[in-house]
Amino acid sequence: QMCDVVAENFAAGTAEAWGVGYTAISKINPKVIYLSCSTYGQYGPLRFYPGWDLLAQAASGVLSLTGYPDTEKYYKLPDYLGDFFPGNIGALAILMALYFRNKTGKGQYIDLAQSEALMRLLFHFTAFKLTGTEIGRTANIDPAMVPASIFKTRDGKFIALACATTGQFEGLCAAMGKEDLLRNAVYTDPFERLKPANARALTQVVTEWLKGQDLESVLRVAGEKNFPAAEVQDDYQISQDPWRRQRGSVILFHDEMYGEIILAGPSAQLSKSPSRTKWTARPVGYHNRLVL
């Protein structure tokens, strides 16, 4: 009766069949907020189908937009975004339900489908409505700005570079020694730059320039000329980064079970109520006394 929120991640109907679904729990505590998070939701023709991250990515349409155009290869989004992103949507829904309960005193049931939550990653519906054409698969290219892609430098490293404004594009042209591009209306007009043929040509110009540049020199000139660029970093670089250690986004943590390990810190820095990690895991049976 003291519980504010219950969350379950079983196939549709499972918690109800076990007697711990919303029907039973809400009779004990009418103010409870109960979240059910499954791949296909609690009703509909697929509700009893098993599902995981990969299936949710497929059923949501997200997978159809990964990979390179003019190929038959699609790429799974890394890690388990089909689990993580719906989990975040579920947390937001719970907060909205808590806000509603604070105003009305009423609890409620939340039905969240992974395959639907992932659809919120897509802006392609709006783009198709506005333009009448599909964006399709864009590989490493940002379809909303040009040049914007991932490039390889002379020293074998990779860099993300993207110019959204005219000033940033001018800075890039100056860095490349390609000020002549600024005298061509095909490239000075942002909407002209976005046209596929022009975008490919401009991306190729940047690709060739970066083939002759080392990563550090590009990052330095990006700061001088004021255009956005960042190294593509791997997990090891991120975990060892002094700046992230200083901010607390990567922390060294001493765990009673595992010893000293590297963990991700809080996603956001709250000034009045900063978060902290107390433990990572407990051994089997650790909470038996509390639960039983």
Side-chain angles (χ1 to χ4, degrees):
Q1 292 181 337
M2 296 172 61
C3 184
D4 293 306
V5 178
V6 174
E8 59 94 359
N9 187 211
F10 299 108
T14 302
E16 287 288 332
W18 288 346
V20 291
Y22 181 68
T23 302
I25 299 298
S26 62
K27 290 178 181 178
I28 300 171
N29 180 4
K31 291 186 177 182
V32 75
I33 293 161
Y34 196 108
L35 168 69
S36 292
C37 183
S38 61
T39 302
Y40 302 107
Q42 298 298 304
Y43 62 92
L46 299 178
R47 66 188 184 279
F48 296 130
Y49 278 50
W52 313 100
D53 158 69
L54 180 59
L55 279 78
Q57 290 190 30
S60 66
V62 168
L63 278 187
S64 69
L65 300 172
T66 65
Y68 289 82
D70 304 321
T71 73
E72 293 184 344
K73 294 183 178 180
Y74 299 91
Y75 300 102
K76 176 187 177 297
L77 297 178
D79 293 324
Y80 299 103
L81 196 65
D83 293 326
F84 300 155
F85 184 77
N88 278 280
I89 297 295
L92 290 173
I94 288 171
L95 291 175
M96 289 187 282
L98 285 169
Y99 179 77
F100 178 79
R101 192 181 71 177
N102 287 341
K103 293 179 64 177
T104 66
K106 298 178 181 179
Q108 61 181 302
Y109 180 71
I110 304 170
D111 176 10
L112 177 68
Q114 288 173 278
S115 54
E116 293 175 343
L118 279 172
M119 290 168 58
R120 275 56 186 175
L121 287 172
L122 311 177
F123 62 92
H124 298 72
F125 308 114
T126 304
F128 182 81
K129 177 66 175 178
L130 293 174
T131 66
T133 58
E134 293 185 12
I135 295 177
R137 292 184 287 166
T138 56
N140 291 329
I141 305 298
D142 187 330
M145 60 182 77
V146 177
S149 187
I150 299 170
F151 305 91
K152 190 174 184 178
T153 56
R154 180 172 59 187
D155 49 349
K157 298 180 180 179
F158 290 88
I159 188 169
L161 188 152
C163 294
T165 68
T166 299
Q168 291 169 355
F169 179 61
E170 291 173 348
L172 174 62
C173 290
M176 295 190 298
K178 297 283 187 180
E179 287 88 347
D180 57 305
L181 295 174
L182 301 174
R183 294 187 288 274
N184 189 336
V186 167
Y187 299 126
T188 54
D189 185 326
F191 292 102
E192 287 294 320
R193 288 204 302 272
L194 284 174
K195 291 181 178 179
N198 298 336
R200 285 192 295 268
L202 189 53
T203 300
Q204 189 58 38
V205 170
V206 180
T207 299
E208 294 302 321
W209 174 63
L210 287 170
K211 284 181 179 178
Q213 308 294 319
D214 290 337
L215 174 74
E216 289 301 325
S217 66
V218 177
L219 294 176
R220 183 172 59 254
V221 74
E224 295 170 354
K225 301 297 184 181
N226 196 30
F227 62 87
E231 180 183 3
V232 178
Q233 297 190 13
D234 59 27
D235 290 347
Y236 181 80
Q237 289 174 289
I238 291 170
S239 66
Q240 301 297 321
D241 187 356
W243 172 67
R244 288 182 172 87
R245 294 282 183 90
Q246 183 179 2
R247 279 185 56 83
S249 59
V250 174
I251 60 175
L252 280 176
F253 182 78
H254 182 78
D255 185 86
E256 294 178 0
M257 291 181 62
Y258 301 110
E260 189 173 78
I261 55 177
I262 296 174
L263 296 177
S267 301
Q269 307 288 348
L270 279 69
S271 64
K272 299 296 184 183
S273 55
S275 63
R276 65 187 179 92
T277 300
K278 296 181 180 179
W279 63 80
T280 56
R282 296 300 196 195
V284 174
Y286 182 88
H287 295 100
N288 281 3
R289 183 180 296 276
L290 172 65
V291 174
L292 301 178

